[in-house]
Amino acid sequence: MAKLSIPQGTRDFGPDVVRKRNYIIATIRKTFELYGFQPLETPAMENTSTLLGKYGEEGDRLIFKILNNGDILGQAQMAKDSRELSLLLCEKSLRYDLTIPFARYVAMNHGKLQLPFRRYQIQPVWRGDRPQAGRYREFYQCDADVVGSNSLINEVELLKIYDTVLTDLQLTGYELRINNRKVLAGLAELVGRPDLMTDITVAIDKLDKIGESGVRQELLTRGLTDTETDKAMAFISLSGTNEQKLERLSELLASSETGLKGVEELRFVLNSNLASFVSPPQLDLTLARGLNYYTGMIVEVKAPPGVNIGSIGGGGRYDDLTGLFGVPGISGVGISFGVDRIYDVLEKLGLFPVEAQESTRVIFFHPGEARLAEVFRYATQVRDRGIAVEMYPEDIKQDKQYKYAEKRGIPFIAYVEDHAPDTIFIKNIPEKQRYTIKAEELAGFGF
Amino acid sequence: MAKLSIPQGTRDFGPDVVRKRNYIIATIRKTFELYGFQPLETPAMENTSTLLGKYGEEGDRLIFKILNNGDILGQAQMAKDSRELSLLLCEKSLRYDLTIPFARYVAMNHGKLQLPFRRYQIQPVWRGDRPQAGRYREFYQCDADVVGSNSLINEVELLKIYDTVLTDLQLTGYELRINNRKVLAGLAELVGRPDLMTDITVAIDKLDKIGESGVRQELLTRGLTDTETDKAMAFISLSGTNEQKLERLSELLASSETGLKGVEELRFVLNSNLASFVSPPQLDLTLARGLNYYTGMIVEVKAPPGVNIGSIGGGGRYDDLTGLFGVPGISGVGISFGVDRIYDVLEKLGLFPVEAQESTRVIFFHPGEARLAEVFRYATQVRDRGIAVEMYPEDIKQDKQYKYAEKRGIPFIAYVEDHAPDTIFIKNIPEKQRYTIKAEELAGFGF
């Protein structure tokens, strides 16, 4: 028999991991709902035609395609290359992200939806990337978007959601960085190259990876002159408080209508009277975010500097989500949490609470046939209090049952002994405490 | 642009449906954990070789296969038929159920697992069935299994889980029906045709669909004589209480060692001293369950008769889960909840509680720019109490905001008015109540 395995880039999540992931996801979900976001789930499979052309050429290649049923051999013989063959053979594909299925859903249901529509969606997505450390072929995305509202109140609330969730997760030192695409458009005008707005954005977006000199080089390569590059570099190097930066931006972008609009939007979003933050958003003019569909605020959440994990979330405003599907004019703004990376951060910093690491709280040892019904009753009584209880199902030596409890990390063991009717012996393993109680005291015992 | 659609047999789940489904799933999960079951998640994709041959020929055809990357055209030219082609082109396939991935997981990790291992798993599965009413190509399964223990205590606890979950869901009139495969083996011996045990089981399993005369006909077709068929029919028609049936079975099966073992197992599981049930399990000798791998207790849960939905769950004991994957000797017992069907039952009977149908509890109307910060503060204050709040993001006429709130089913609206500083007006829409409170009273207001 061949060695058992699972496909490259996929993972089994055992109990310890699922519990900790569920803790993260439950915290996010609770906050989404607190802000009025509503759950949506779309199918794992979409029509291939819904997905193709939405993620660039590279993306098209990385979409997992699902083989049609029926006479695929006949179809196979009609194809002239592998790409054409894959399209002939696969009408359906696996979800690649949550944004396009959401856009498809909104476009399909826009007559019925109450706008603004706040939805959140927490589901796995699949990508045929080459597997490597921290990059998987199946992973969860966790998105919240508001569509059908241009109000910047949405931006403020989404930033509050980041702050609330990360604070609830006991994380400190994370950074909420924001910028605005209109300001970057203003920058392109300022340097005299509005035609190169996208190139400038792409270059700036690499700052973290290639450093200042790298960005300078990239700007030159992409067609800016030395002087233009100097202007751009000076712009993104602006320092000071949010207020100082905004002041300076107003001056620099005085001649750019778009740029000033961006500054105004930033002022609204950063207005500390509206909302208070544990980690207030910081204006970061070097923040660009690669995705071309953003048109207003962009945001990125950085893990605390010490853990060296980088971005744990991001998002922004886009002007036309559903235009791709024939329903123009629905703008939106959204954020996303990187659950896998947040998991790694909490793990590195030891921030998972005990509750997220504990499963069964009490185990009753098998008492032998004679008192089985009695112990069943005890177990039921404790479960009725909402406490997770196992009964060890096999009638074996107590030290073996004890070992099982220990390895499973069950804190309380409880058992009866032949010589002691109506008496329960309890040990708290981690705290090395022993108790002997009467059966009628079980209801009040503090497990 | 082509009309937008999703693949046949798949579904979008909008907010109302997700909330209600989550209510069912959360109830099941809570109970699984109360009984010491631990969460497991396996990848959507398994190696095709892991799944093939596990679900019969029909099953093999219904497995969704995922196209390999790379030179599929070259591979395509080597295949001689569509079946061979699909295997050449697809190393990976989508999960078809949760049992085989669980068996694969246990086999891959059996050195590390603490046995008995109680796992639960709630994930979607995919099947290429022809879509029809109530049958989908993507649906959730919801399983709990104990492996590595032969104790019948597990059977009792799993039956208790059914009873607890369905009672928590406010369902009444459901039926827990149990039988034992060893008793059916005894029946085959009794009629003198132990060689036809599977045929007899398959025929009995159809009783619900084809009635008594149909089963009789099927038994004859499958090779039983008239006399043998009479014996079988008399056996499955035994009536009376559980105790009466068990008594009668002991006599009938006196010469069948296997049969008597089955009776003994049933006696243990049905022993009402061990556990008390809201709907106690009923011995149903006509229950057979189609799956051939069951070897001990089998169980099926029937929806209340009125709703005409049939089975909402089932399971049983199997002797050798992981033998398929080269690790013999690990037996187990498990149950499954049919989430889609339970959904339909609760919907038909109007049993979803208000909490499962409500999203946002309070909406604050947009107060205009001047008092925006103030209302933001109010909203935050209510959210800090764990109450879901929306702020209407657009500064539009109040009656439009009111309509939005009404259509969304948000029970409380709250707003400020220009002439009334530090005053909040609140309406409870469903109860047609109005309140006028001072800002400092908000903290204590009962939303």
Side-chain angles (χ1 to χ4, degrees):
Chain A
M1 176 164 298
K3 197 172 167 330
L4 275 179
S5 68
I6 52 176
Q8 255 204 317
T10 68
R11 295 167 286 177
D12 282 323
F13 296 106
D16 296 347
V17 180
V18 175
R19 270 193 287 271
K20 289 192 268 186
R21 273 161 35 103
N22 282 351
Y23 159 71
I24 296 172
I25 289 171
T27 305
I28 297 171
R29 172 179 288 134
K30 192 188 69 192
T31 307
F32 284 165
E33 294 190 345
L34 212 49
Y35 279 79
F37 286 78
Q38 303 193 74
L40 174 71
E41 294 184 10
T42 62
M45 304 172 182
E46 293 277 351
N47 293 325
T48 301
S49 58
T50 300
L51 305 185
L52 279 186
K54 309 303 190 298
Y55 307 106
E57 259 180 62
E58 172 77 353
D60 281 356
R61 263 200 310 279
L62 301 182
I63 292 170
F64 281 113
K65 298 171 189 76
I66 296 163
L67 199 68
N68 301 340
N69 291 322
D71 172 30
I72 55 169
L73 193 66
Q75 293 175 300
Q77 281 151 357
M78 288 156 45
K80 62 176 197 300
D81 60 32
S82 287
R83 186 177 172 282
E84 192 183 307
L85 179 59
S86 72
L87 299 184
L88 273 175
L89 295 185
C90 301
E91 285 169 13
K92 296 178 286 292
S93 293
L94 289 178
R95 195 164 54 211
Y96 183 86
D97 73 356
L98 302 179
T99 305
I100 292 299
F102 174 51
R104 192 265 311 143
Y105 176 83
V106 172
M108 266 175 78
N109 296 281
H110 71 106
K112 286 173 271 175
L113 290 177
Q114 294 306 316
L115 296 183
F117 179 50
R118 288 174 176 79
R119 88 85 172 77
Y120 74 86
Q121 193 168 353
I122 303 175
Q123 291 189 285
V125 301
W126 296 271
R127 298 183 181 181
D129 269 319
R130 185 182 301 275
Q132 49 180 273
R135 183 178 295 175
Y136 301 98
R137 290 184 158 182
E138 174 179 55
F139 58 96
Y140 267 80
Q141 286 196 338
C142 195
D143 289 11
D145 290 80
V146 190
V147 293
S149 165
N150 293 311
S151 165
L152 295 166
I153 290 176
N154 300 303
E155 271 83 339
V156 177
E157 293 202 317
L158 289 168
L159 292 171
K160 270 291 279 184
I161 287 177
Y162 271 135
D163 200 54
T164 305
V165 167
L166 298 173
T167 301
D168 280 0
L169 293 174
Q170 311 291 331
L171 206 59
T172 53
Y174 59 90
E175 295 168 17
L176 288 180
R177 299 202 192 161
I178 75 166
N179 198 1
N180 192 297
R181 274 294 172 91
K182 295 188 181 77
V183 166
L184 292 172
L187 161 64
E189 287 181 36
L190 179 70
V191 304
R193 299 306 297 268
D195 55 316
L196 292 184
M197 154 85 184
T198 302
D199 288 272
I200 295 170
T201 312
V202 169
I204 293 176
D205 200 40
K206 298 187 181 166
L207 187 71
D208 269 2
K209 283 184 197 135
I210 61 179
E212 253 186 57
S213 65
V215 173
R216 176 178 289 279
Q217 193 50 53
E218 175 115 8
L219 287 170
L220 291 167
T221 312
R222 284 175 178 270
L224 265 65
T225 65
D226 266 324
T227 325
E228 288 163 0
T229 301
D230 285 344
K231 272 194 189 168
M233 295 308 293
F235 185 94
I236 63 171
S237 314
L238 278 186
S239 62
T241 62
N242 290 341
E243 199 40 57
Q244 288 165 337
K245 285 181 192 166
L246 287 171
E247 201 103 326
R248 193 81 186 84
L249 281 181
S250 316
E251 296 160 20
L252 283 170
L253 298 173
S255 64
S256 162
E257 200 184 326
T258 310
L260 286 179
K261 185 79 174 52
V263 174
E264 190 194 320
E265 291 181 8
L266 283 169
R267 268 192 207 286
F268 185 98
V269 171
L270 291 168
N271 176 358
S272 56
N273 288 326
L274 287 187
S276 65
F277 290 85
V278 176
S279 279
Q282 300 299 317
L283 175 53
D284 176 358
L285 293 169
T286 73
L287 179 67
R289 290 189 65 75
L291 294 169
N292 264 321
Y293 56 74
Y294 290 126
T295 52
M297 180 190 81
I298 45 182
V299 54
E300 197 158 290
V301 188
K302 300 274 183 190
V307 295
N308 198 22
I309 284 181
S311 167
I312 53 175
R317 178 172 284 278
Y318 39 84
D319 263 352
D320 188 10
L321 179 70
T322 54
L324 286 165
F325 297 113
V327 182
I330 298 185
S331 78
V333 55
I335 58 171
S336 184
F337 284 86
V339 174
D340 282 306
R341 292 218 177 156
I342 293 174
Y343 185 100
D344 292 343
V345 172
L346 298 187
E347 190 72 25
K348 276 199 183 182
L349 297 174
L351 291 178
F352 283 109
V354 176
E355 311 84 76
Q357 297 179 69
E358 197 180 276
S359 52
T360 301
R361 190 141 184 89
V362 186
I363 186 166
F364 279 90
F365 285 167
H366 195 299
E369 287 306 317
R371 294 178 70 179
L372 193 54
E374 176 191 343
V375 169
F376 244 109
R377 221 163 40 236
Y378 298 154
T380 302
Q381 206 187 341
V382 181
R383 283 176 181 143
D384 285 347
R385 291 163 61 190
I387 297 167
V389 173
E390 282 182 38
M391 284 198 41
Y392 196 86
E394 306 283 339
D395 189 3
I396 57 170
K397 287 216 177 101
Q398 279 212 357
D399 60 341
K400 284 195 177 172
Q401 301 187 51
Y402 190 92
K403 266 195 193 120
Y404 168 87
E406 223 175 16
K407 287 198 178 153
R408 285 268 291 103
I410 300 172
F412 287 94
I413 60 170
Y415 56 95
V416 297
E417 288 190 352
D418 287 346
H419 61 84
D422 293 322
T423 303
I424 305 166
F425 299 89
I426 298 173
K427 282 186 193 170
N428 180 330
I429 305 184
E431 299 190 357
K432 298 198 173 70
Q433 293 287 331
R434 288 159 175 277
Y435 309 87
T436 305
I437 64 170
K438 288 312 227 179
E440 66 263 29
E441 295 172 304
L442 182 65
F445 187 82
F447 286 108
Chain B
M1 175 165 296
K3 197 170 167 335
L4 276 178
S5 67
I6 51 177
Q8 255 203 317
T10 68
R11 294 168 286 178
D12 283 322
F13 296 106
D16 296 346
V17 180
V18 175
R19 269 191 288 269
K20 289 191 268 185
R21 273 161 35 104
N22 283 350
Y23 159 71
I24 296 171
I25 290 172
T27 305
I28 296 171
R29 171 179 289 134
K30 193 188 68 193
T31 307
F32 283 164
E33 295 192 344
L34 211 50
Y35 280 79
F37 286 78
Q38 303 194 76
L40 173 71
E41 293 184 10
T42 62
M45 303 173 185
E46 293 277 349
N47 293 325
T48 302
S49 58
T50 299
L51 304 186
L52 279 186
K54 309 303 189 299
Y55 307 106
E57 258 179 62
E58 171 75 354
D60 280 357
R61 263 200 311 279
L62 300 183
I63 291 170
F64 280 113
K65 299 172 188 77
I66 296 164
L67 199 69
N68 300 339
N69 291 323
D71 173 31
I72 54 168
L73 193 66
Q75 293 174 300
Q77 281 151 358
M78 289 155 45
K80 64 176 194 302
D81 62 31
S82 288
R83 186 176 172 283
E84 192 183 306
L85 179 60
S86 72
L87 299 184
L88 272 174
L89 295 185
C90 301
E91 287 169 13
K92 296 179 286 293
S93 293
L94 289 179
R95 195 162 56 211
Y96 184 86
D97 73 357
L98 302 178
T99 304
I100 291 299
F102 174 51
R104 192 264 313 142
Y105 176 83
V106 171
M108 265 176 78
N109 296 281
H110 71 107
K112 287 174 270 173
L113 290 177
Q114 295 306 314
L115 296 183
F117 178 50
R118 286 175 178 78
R119 89 85 172 77
Y120 74 86
Q121 192 167 353
I122 303 174
Q123 292 189 285
V125 301
W126 296 271
R127 298 183 180 181
D129 270 318
R130 186 184 301 274
Q132 49 181 272
R135 182 178 295 175
Y136 301 98
R137 291 185 156 182
E138 174 179 56
F139 57 96
Y140 267 79
Q141 286 195 338
C142 194
D143 288 11
D145 290 79
V146 190
V147 293
S149 165
N150 292 312
S151 166
L152 295 166
I153 290 177
N154 300 304
E155 271 82 339
V156 177
E157 293 203 318
L158 289 168
L159 292 172
K160 270 291 279 184
I161 287 177
Y162 272 135
D163 199 55
T164 305
V165 167
L166 297 173
T167 301
D168 279 0
L169 292 174
Q170 313 291 331
L171 206 57
T172 52
Y174 58 89
E175 295 168 17
L176 288 180
R177 302 204 190 158
I178 75 166
N179 198 0
N180 192 299
R181 274 294 171 93
K182 295 188 180 79
V183 166
L184 292 172
L187 160 65
E189 289 180 35
L190 179 70
V191 303
R193 298 306 296 268
D195 56 316
L196 291 185
M197 153 86 183
T198 302
D199 287 273
I200 294 170
T201 312
V202 169
I204 293 176
D205 201 39
K206 296 186 182 168
L207 187 70
D208 269 1
K209 285 184 197 135
I210 61 179
E212 254 186 56
S213 65
V215 172
R216 176 178 290 278
Q217 193 49 54
E218 175 115 9
L219 288 170
L220 291 168
T221 312
R222 284 175 180 268
L224 266 64
T225 66
D226 266 324
T227 324
E228 289 163 1
T229 300
D230 285 344
K231 273 194 190 169
M233 295 309 293
F235 185 94
I236 64 171
S237 312
L238 279 186
S239 61
T241 63
N242 290 341
E243 198 42 56
Q244 288 165 337
K245 286 182 191 166
L246 287 171
E247 202 104 325
R248 194 78 188 86
L249 281 181
S250 315
E251 297 160 21
L252 283 169
L253 298 173
S255 64
S256 161
E257 198 184 326
T258 310
L260 286 179
K261 184 81 173 54
V263 174
E264 188 194 320
E265 291 181 9
L266 283 170
R267 269 193 206 286
F268 186 99
V269 171
L270 290 168
N271 175 355
S272 57
N273 288 327
L274 287 186
S276 65
F277 290 84
V278 176
S279 278
Q282 300 300 319
L283 174 53
D284 176 358
L285 292 169
T286 72
L287 180 66
R289 289 189 66 74
L291 294 169
N292 265 322
Y293 56 74
Y294 291 125
T295 52
M297 180 191 81
I298 46 183
V299 53
E300 197 159 289
V301 188
K302 299 274 183 191
V307 297
N308 197 21
I309 285 181
S311 167
I312 53 175
R317 178 173 284 279
Y318 38 85
D319 263 352
D320 187 11
L321 179 70
T322 54
L324 284 167
F325 297 114
V327 181
I330 299 184
S331 78
V333 54
I335 59 170
S336 184
F337 284 88
V339 174
D340 281 305
R341 293 220 180 154
I342 292 174
Y343 185 100
D344 291 342
V345 173
L346 298 187
E347 190 72 25
K348 277 199 183 182
L349 297 175
L351 290 178
F352 283 110
V354 175
E355 311 83 77
Q357 297 181 67
E358 196 180 278
S359 52
T360 301
R361 190 138 184 90
V362 186
I363 185 166
F364 279 90
F365 284 168
H366 195 299
E369 286 307 316
R371 293 177 71 179
L372 193 54
E374 177 191 342
V375 169
F376 245 110
R377 222 164 39 237
Y378 298 153
T380 303
Q381 207 187 339
V382 181
R383 283 177 180 142
D384 285 348
R385 291 163 62 191
I387 297 167
V389 174
E390 281 182 37
M391 283 198 41
Y392 196 86
E394 307 283 339
D395 189 3
I396 57 169
K397 285 212 177 103
Q398 279 212 355
D399 60 341
K400 284 196 177 171
Q401 301 186 52
Y402 190 92
K403 267 195 192 117
Y404 168 86
E406 225 174 14
K407 287 198 177 150
R408 285 267 290 101
I410 299 172
F412 287 94
I413 60 169
Y415 56 95
V416 298
E417 286 192 352
D418 287 347
H419 61 84
D422 293 322
T423 303
I424 306 167
F425 300 89
I426 298 173
K427 283 186 194 170
N428 180 331
I429 305 182
E431 300 192 357
K432 298 197 172 72
Q433 292 287 332
R434 289 158 174 276
Y435 309 87
T436 305
I437 64 170
K438 287 315 229 176
E440 65 264 27
E441 296 172 303
L442 182 64
F445 187 82
F447 286 108

